[in-house]
Amino acid sequence: MSDDRFLPVSRRGVLATGAATMAVSVTPAFAQTHELTRSRSSAGKPSMAKVSFQVNGEPHSLELDTRTSLLDALREHLELTGSKKGCDHGQCGACTVIVDGRRINSCLTLAVMNEGRQITTIEGLGSPEAMHPMQQAFVEHDGYQCGYCTPGQICSAVAMLDEVKAGVPSHATADLTASPKLTNAELRERMSGNICRCAAYSNIVEAIEEVARGAA
Amino acid sequence: MKAFTYERASSPAQAAAIVARTPGAKFIAGGTNLLDLMKLEIETPTHLVDVNGLGLDQIEPTPDGGLRIGAMVRNTDLAADMRVRRDYAVLSHALVAGASGQLRNAATTAGNLLQRTRCPYFYDTNMPCNKRKPGSGCGAIGGYTRQHAIIGHSEACIATNPSDMAVALRALDATVETIQADGKTRSIPIADFHRLPGDTPHIETVLNRGEMITGVVLPKPLGGVQLYRKVRDRASYAFAIVSVAAVMRPDGGSRVALGGVAHKPWRVEAADARLPDGARATTAELLRGARPQQENAFKVILAERTVAAVLAKAKA
Amino acid sequence: MKFETAATTNPIDQLKVVGRPTNRTDGPLKTTGRAPYAYEHQVAAPNQAYGYVVGSAIAKGRITKLDVSRAEEAPGVIAVVTASNAGPLKKANRNTATLFGGPKIEHYHQAIAVVVAETFEQARAAAGLLQIEYAREQGKFDLEASRASATDPKKITAGASDTSVGDFEGAFAKAAVKLDATYTTPDQSHVMMEPPATIATWEDGNLTVRTSHQMVDWARSDLATTLGLEKEQVRVITPYVGGGFGAKLFLRADVIAAALGARAAKRPVKVALQRPLSVNNLVHRPATIQRIRIGAERSGKITAIGHESWSGDLPNGKPDGAVHQTRLLYAGADRMTRTRLAILDLPEANAMRAPGEATGLMALEIAMDEMAEKLGLDPVEFRIINDTQVVPDVPAEPSSDDPQARSDSGGTDEHSAKELRFSQRHLVECLRTGAEKFGWSKRNKIPGQMREGDWLIGHGVAGAIRGNKQMKSAARVRLDRGGVVTVETDMTDIGTGSYTIIAQTAAEMMGIPIDKVVVRLGDSAFPVSAGSGGQWGGNCSTSGVYAACVKLREAVAQKLGFNVTDAAFEDGQVRASGRALPLAQAARDGELVAEDVIEFGGVTEESEQATFAAHFVEVAVDAFTGETRIRRMLSVCDCGRILNPKSARSQVIGGMSMGVGAALTEELAVDKRFGFFVNHDLASYEVPVHADIPHQEVIFFGDADPMSSPMKAKGVAELGISGVAAAVANAVYNAVGVRVREYPLTMDKLLAGLPQIA
């Protein structure tokens, strides 16, 4: 059911609408303008920039294509592949790392913007031989299935508990002037930036609650 | 993502000057919206000016009893500021209703004001979109329009503004402060900051080329009961279908603004006056002349019911 | 080993390791970020280049011009592969649409090029420089509009497309109480967290792909077919799979793009399908329109039940099997099902978690709720009244000319020679147990009458069935002189817990602790397993390991001079006739290796094998806005012996949550003009987040089923989703009093029935 009112124009070319055998109809003036804009912005070589930061306590100095996200710097340049690329658009949370004590989506920050920062990834929280209490709790409560969102969930959970301690309110906080309590509703709201399609949610929450109790 | 050069600005004035004189230059702050769009080549800057680290991350009292919020104050920090929580609760509530903990830690006050629509036809570069590519048409009209505008839109564009924060700022009558390339500053009432689409939906704010947001000023506290009610399909990490920011003052001067219904935070001062008459009267005034699409006609009823929920809660 | 008669007592019955709640053996790797997923094998395949996939901008038509010159000249670009230089590509039978398109375009975002460059950033940027022009052809994208032209696909996955027992029309016409209702379910997307990804390496004409796949052998065969290679030239490695739910059952474009890119670049190439492309590039669960008719006596006994379904797919595609469970779940003498398939030019429709049951029960279990209400019966009781231990509709063989032939003689007559019984069926017990634990008696009995503050409270129930299918499965086991048993099978762990239950199985069989077992999965160099799909993986792959361990026990016994029938394998020792020797001693002269395959027949075909569940849900619906939030969930599951209660519970809660998504938010929005799924990212296709899912309760009935396998286990993972959405929908009806028959139950569909506002 194509609708002839539309003359959809692709980023990469021009689409012809209408009947099956219709030839391509191009509007040359428009297409040319479009091409010019694009060539100007893309003809050049990649721009490189230097950046230094600490990852899991170790200093790193890198020279990177400015387009490199912090996530890709970690995964592709430092071979720290624990941080996952689930969507690359800030829509899933699998890339969550802790930067200067705060959890962020590492896919939506450029590596070069993180000059001088302290970055903690899942590898920095613990190792199979010496797990962080949060990692241990996830294992005990089966707070994961496929494991792909898991590093992000764990980094997020660790930093989230600090946010509650610091008194940061959430959407689940009814009384903004009081210190937030780590209720089940608070915990679930605060972890909602980490999607788990396997949906280990119920178990993840129990794991975090156990760690929170232990830390309290 | 197109290649770009990158530099860190040394002052707001310098940043504004660079962006004004450099073709294809853009500011980058939190990056949470800009990088998203750059990956899809919806945004294609050739030069990025990093405006973090310019000292714009403070929240300070103003001489007349209000608050000045630095442009680079992160959404988390703004929501958590005890003065904001106490005196501008609607703003704090709106902020934490948006995005996720991770995104709020990176996103800035200025960036939140400048975030672009979530219209899926804007996001899909194979589709026509007058906002992304002026003159190419609107893919959304006649398409999937559940999220789209019901008022203030045009034949060229039915996109909505996705910000929660901006709806609260509209209810609070905040002012946006900027610096221009020539070093001149100006204050823009939030009501004037965002534009309706008209036939130029790609121009979304009144900012000039190179003009940089330096802060947002809140007037002195309004008091009253301040509420932000966000309606969405899933319980979190989703954009509003409809949202209501309200400041309910027992002695008059209550105000209400809607999100999710228009190209900008939607407030009609005449509707504020109808608040004592209830949700129906208020919403009728707010949405007078609404022209929804078939798929989002429910937003008119939903807005009315959400205003009712807010009024009921304010009373309780 | 052939499994043809019911299992008797065997070493698994000791349940020293199997059946115990066991932490996943891969947990420490996964939780510390050390488990390597497809895109992360950087050391194993050095000098990787990066591939970026370009998808078609149209849904149907042809590419009229594809100019790659500017992309080829872009910095860092090594190769650009399109249909014109890809070489001959065939299509494997398991794929409906071609994986690498052009010039012909079959669906939106079909892969048409891969750009290979030194870095990801360069490949991505160069992909934007392709100059592509299309001639768009008119396509069909609207299921409702295509319903009339839908044709008989002759068969669905589980049987004939049309089935009939007795005289449905006559019985329905005569029924005292009747329901005739139509339900719709939307297109849905798997959106597993790990996008399909592959690193391809060519060496001497042989191809190795490190990828993310549920079925290693299918991938290997189909990759060979697609590229014109011998199967032996292809190796597939997929040790960790970041979710699949059916999307990684069949070969996908990432594998082809990486293989073609690597061949052109003459070095390893890695490709991950970018998320915004994934929804339209991959397969999806198709939308359905379902008509259900139920007739019953006033007592509640169903006399007539009919279920018809329409879905769409690309030419030569498959229908959704939504009607199948209606042939099995409830009694009723006169019955029919009918399936029709429309041709649609949307992306390929295919399996997603519990294909058939997931959609079918979304409709059937609302219909049962509606009937119960018409009859004035409690919906739990209504289901119990219509329970059956005999298949009420003998499955028609697809090859049979007359699907009625086997059932005309007497339907459910218990003396019928053609009677087919369920190997086990505890649906009634699931319903009763669930009702008691959930507090069903205290539920809201009149729709729209229970209110707590701004919330309308409702309770819903649904029954569920999901087939228990057996697939042959092989494994190799090795015993080394340290007493460590290594299991090798091409089985995959897609979050299902395969690593752990396989380790438990080997530990139980060989009488050793689980930490003395090493499990190696996901490599086509290993024996061919059942793979992960259709909820058969757990039962079948462990049965294959069981078979191999039986052989290893024989080899061990022989080596140690024991008679294997007398030998007890326990505590790391082998004991018989008063003697005890360490297991490890059997390998003192060298590793012992045993390999076997389990094959099924006989008893598994002579009984109907299925898993059953009852789901209970409490919802709260905002009285102002119609937003629905889940407050409580309980599922009681009858699915054989539970091998690992910990990971089995996880499978079920995952299914329950996906059912919540199906009920409340998940819908691929179809643009019927351009022919694509509009909301093709994770922000706009809303799956449940933490805030949507409360604490969930799962109870396993846990009865070992000796008819299923030597493990006496059954499928678990897909039972968890089956029926859940309907339980939510029924709870929403109960809360609000508005019956929504079009999923998902978004607020707009409830607004008209909400309480008046002041």
Side-chain angles (χ1 to χ4, degrees), chain B residues 1-2 39-41 118 120-121 124 126-128 139 141-144 146 229-236 238 241 280 298 302 304-306 308-309 312, chain C residues 56-57 108-109 124-125 128-129 276 622-625 627 629 665 669 671 673-674 676 678 680 682-683 686-687 689 691-692 746-748 751 754-755 757:
Chain B
M1 188 185 293
K2 303 292 189 195
K39 290 178 185 193
L40 298 166
E41 296 192 0
R118 305 301 300 201
Y121 296 87
D124 189 326
N126 293 319
M127 292 296 130
I141 295 173
Y144 172 60
R146 176 175 166 81
R229 179 70 166 89
K230 180 174 183 176
V231 181
R232 45 189 160 179
D233 289 320
R234 69 182 176 196
S236 188
I241 294 171
R280 190 151 299 163
F298 73 94
L302 184 62
E304 180 182 296
R305 296 188 67 95
T306 310
Chain C
S56 167
Y108 191 70
H109 277 173
R124 180 175 57 191
L129 298 177
D622 190 291
F624 287 99
T625 63
E627 292 163 289
R629 303 291 177 244
T665 57
D671 186 307
R673 309 158 303 166
F674 294 110
F676 75 118
V678 182
H680 53 72
L682 273 168
E686 292 188 13
V687 302
V689 298
D692 292 297
T746 45
M747 64 198 69
D748 43 302
L751 286 174
L754 294 174
I757 55 170

Side-chain angles (χ1 to χ4, degrees), chain B residues 72-269:
Chain B
M72 295 302 116
V73 171
R74 309 288 146 173
N75 287 178
T76 298
D77 297 324
L78 182 54
D81 186 278
M82 199 43 88
R83 293 161 293 186
V84 176
R85 285 154 78 173
R86 188 185 61 228
D87 297 331
Y88 307 94
V90 64
L91 176 57
S92 191
H93 281 305
L95 283 160
V96 295
S100 68
Q102 291 95 313
L103 289 163
R104 293 192 297 269
N105 278 342
T108 63
T109 309
N112 193 323
L113 276 174
L114 294 174
Q115 68 177 304
R116 308 198 67 189
T117 185
R118 305 301 300 201
C119 171
Y121 296 87
F122 171 73
Y123 259 80
D124 189 326
T125 51
N126 293 319
M127 292 296 130
C129 172
N130 289 319
K131 184 183 280 295
R132 177 168 30 78
K133 188 181 296 184
S136 62
C138 173
I141 295 173
Y144 172 60
T145 57
R146 176 175 166 81
Q147 288 281 353
H148 289 78
I150 56 173
I151 194 161
H153 51 80
S154 68
E155 290 305 304
C157 181
I158 60 170
T160 51
N161 183 310
S163 174
D164 293 298
M165 182 192 80
V167 184
L169 292 180
R170 181 69 185 88
L172 291 169
D173 276 334
T175 306
V176 182
E177 296 194 332
T178 68
I179 186 164
Q180 312 220 35
D182 58 7
K184 284 189 187 143
T185 59
R186 65 167 173 159
S187 296
I188 307 164
I190 186 74
D192 303 334
F193 183 79
H194 294 103
R195 299 175 76 256
L196 288 177
D199 51 13
T200 55
H202 57 293
I203 305 171
E204 293 167 350
T205 70
V206 297
L207 293 180
N208 297 315
R209 167 113 206 117
E211 187 170 7
M212 181 184 152
I213 299 172
T214 52
V216 171
V217 173
L218 302 178
K220 69 176 199 260
L222 292 164
V225 178
Q226 303 198 4
L227 298 168
Y228 187 75
R229 179 70 166 89
K230 180 174 183 176
V231 181
R232 45 189 160 179
D233 289 320
R234 69 182 176 196
S236 188
Y237 204 14
F239 294 93
I241 294 171
V242 162
S243 70
V244 174
V247 179
M248 301 302 296
R249 304 166 79 190
D251 306 325
S254 296
R255 65 268 299 274
V256 62
L258 296 181
V261 297
H263 199 255
K264 60 188 286 186
W266 196 253
R267 183 165 162 213
V268 175
E269 271 75 359

Side-chain angles (χ1 to χ4, degrees), chain A residues 97-170:
Chain A
V97 299
I98 304 169
V99 177
D100 289 348
R102 298 163 70 125
R103 53 180 174 158
I104 63 163
N105 295 318
S106 62
C107 74
L108 287 187
T109 181
L110 296 170
V112 294
M113 293 166 66
N114 288 272
E115 177 67 32
R117 301 209 178 268
Q118 307 270 348
I119 298 154
T120 302
T121 70
I122 190 71
E123 292 93 341
L125 286 180
S127 65
E129 299 74 33
M131 286 195 273
H132 184 280
M134 191 65 79
Q135 293 168 325
Q136 187 69 51
F138 269 61
V139 172
E140 289 298 327
H141 290 272
D142 212 38
Y144 58 97
Q145 291 176 37
C146 81
Y148 200 76
C149 75
T150 311
Q153 298 275 357
I154 291 172
C155 286
S156 187
V158 168
M160 181 274 294
L161 292 181
D162 289 340
E163 286 172 13
V164 175
K165 272 196 205 119
V168 173
S170 87

Side-chain angles (χ1 to χ4, degrees), chain C residues 484-503:
Chain C
V484 172
V485 172
T486 299
V487 184
E488 295 172 341
T489 167
D490 83 355
M491 182 60 190
T492 48
D493 189 329
I494 63 171
T496 38
S498 310
Y499 276 106
T500 312
I501 56 174
I502 285 173

